[in-house]
Amino acid sequence: MSTSSSPRTLHRLIDRLPRHVDRRVRVFAWLSFLAEVLIIGTGGAVRLTGSGLGCPTWPRCTPDSLVNTPEMGIHGIIEFGNRTLTGVVGILALVVVVLMWRLRRERRAMFVLSLVVLGGIAAQAVVGGITVLTGLNPFIVGFHYIASVVLVTVCAAFLTLMYLPAGPRERAVPGWFAGLVHATTGVLALTIVFGVLTTGAGPHSGDAAAVQRNGFDAEVLEHVHAWPGYALFALTLVIVVLAWRLGLPVRRWSTALLAVEVVQIAVGLYQARNGLPEIAVGVHMVLAALTAATMTVVVLRLKSPASSADRSAERKVEAARR
């Protein structure tokens, strides 16, 4: 190969490599994630202020008005504000999909995740409508919250992959350690489910007219909810100690996970011992979503770019230089 043709070949090789995610994608991906977390907070505010039926119909706010009316007071403002934020979340998700379109082949996993978020938001709007039309059925409300947490974790997965190189990845930790992390993820999911059931049995129905609860004993569920919560903390502590001792790539993120769990446990104990104050319950809901998001990062960081792919790229570059 001549010297003059080598640079051209090298440039062609570089052009074929997966393109990096540009700044616009990063900005809107972060905005989308923050909006998903925010809507959990505003959704909690709707419930905890008794504004769940502030807009008593769906998709209109009232049978005669698309928006809230002055006669509906603060509850109408809070509920309609939450519905409006759903539109903002949807627009942000749509922008991410549009920006990822040109990278749909090079960054296929990220493109699929962006579609999942957009589709999930549309589905969530429908579930929100069903929630209103069923008079805030506690099981539908609980499902609505869990679906929101799932969307937060999908956004977290998108953000994680956004900062990682494209291409195949391989496990960067021992198999038994990966199994421990996945088992801990299952315990986290169980903790969130029991937390939702506990809230569905408690006093915060979302509206004075929505007196139906799920029928479980709230006091018993508080203890049942705490058991997997403490197991989650213990398992995470083991993960952190082992990650630092073995120098594993997840050591910092697992430490962040432990820190979030400590705050979550403190808030949970506070709300349980002080009659479930609304602000504490709302913070607890948001922290649960952030815990799930951090766990998602830990799981994805169990893998790193495949060394075989790195060697292949190096061989191609070396061949281009000859």
Side-chain angles (χ1 to χ4, degrees):
M1 180 180 293
S2 66
T3 304
S4 61
S5 64
S6 294
R8 289 196 298 271
T9 305
L10 182 59
H11 287 313
R12 285 197 298 269
L13 173 61
I14 293 174
D15 288 339
R16 294 193 193 103
L17 294 176
R19 284 173 283 179
H20 294 290
V21 177
D22 63 30
R23 184 173 180 272
R24 293 175 302 168
V25 175
R26 294 196 298 270
V27 169
F28 279 98
W30 273 106
L31 288 175
S32 181
F33 171 78
L34 293 174
E36 289 288 356
V37 175
L38 178 61
I39 203 167
I40 287 180
T42 59
V46 168
R47 179 173 189 170
L48 297 169
T49 59
S51 305
L53 296 178
C55 286
T57 63
W58 186 89
R60 291 174 173 268
C61 191
T62 72
D64 303 317
S65 175
L66 184 63
V67 301
N68 62 297
T69 61
E71 295 77 16
M72 300 170 69
I74 187 63
H75 294 310
I77 294 174
I78 294 174
E79 165 62 5
F80 185 74
N82 185 62
R83 292 190 184 188
T84 303
L85 184 59
T86 300
V88 175
V89 173
I91 291 172
L92 290 172
L94 178 61
V95 171
V96 174
V97 170
V98 172
L99 292 175
M100 284 300 300
W101 179 257
R102 68 184 184 87
L103 295 174
R104 63 190 182 279
R105 294 186 179 87
E106 295 89 344
R107 293 280 190 163
R108 177 176 171 78
M110 290 177 60
F111 180 66
V112 170
L113 289 175
S114 68
L115 290 176
V116 170
V117 173
L118 183 60
I121 292 169
Q124 273 288 72
V126 175
V127 174
I130 295 173
T131 301
V132 172
L133 297 177
T134 58
L136 305 184
N137 180 287
F139 293 103
I140 303 297
V141 172
F143 175 78
H144 196 41
Y145 172 75
I146 290 177
S148 295
V149 172
V150 170
L151 286 177
V152 168
T153 63
V154 175
C155 287
F158 184 97
L159 291 174
T160 304
L161 295 179
M162 187 172 69
Y163 290 103
L164 294 175
R169 302 168 66 223
E170 61 184 12
R171 195 176 66 228
V173 301
W176 59 266
F177 184 87
L180 176 62
V181 172
H182 289 305
T184 305
T185 303
V187 175
L188 171 60
L190 191 64
T191 305
I192 292 175
V193 169
F194 275 115
V196 169
L197 291 175
T198 302
T199 304
H204 300 298
S205 63
D207 190 276
V211 295
Q212 59 174 326
R213 311 308 293 137
N214 59 26
F216 296 114
D217 189 313
E219 186 174 349
V220 172
L221 276 178
E222 283 183 15
H223 296 288
V224 175
H225 171 50
W227 298 338
Y230 291 133
L232 172 66
F233 172 76
L235 288 170
T236 305
L237 183 60
V238 171
I239 288 172
V240 170
V241 171
L242 290 173
W244 281 98
R245 285 181 63 87
L246 298 175
L248 301 179
V250 297
R251 55 190 181 275
R252 289 184 175 84
W253 276 107
S254 61
T255 303
L257 175 63
L258 183 66
V260 176
E261 289 175 8
V262 169
V263 177
Q264 178 72 316
I265 290 173
V267 173
L269 291 174
Y270 172 82
Q271 68 173 14
R273 295 176 180 179
N274 290 274
L276 301 177
E278 287 81 359
I279 185 65
V281 176
V283 171
H284 201 57
M285 291 171 60
V286 173
L287 283 174
L290 293 177
T291 304
T294 310
M295 177 64 84
T296 300
V297 180
V298 173
V299 171
L300 289 177
R301 290 280 180 173
L302 295 174
K303 291 185 176 182
S304 61
S307 57
S308 59
D310 295 341
R311 288 194 297 270
S312 176
E314 290 173 0
R315 286 195 297 268
K316 290 180 180 179
V317 173
E318 183 62 28
R321 289 174 178 170
R322 294 195 185 102

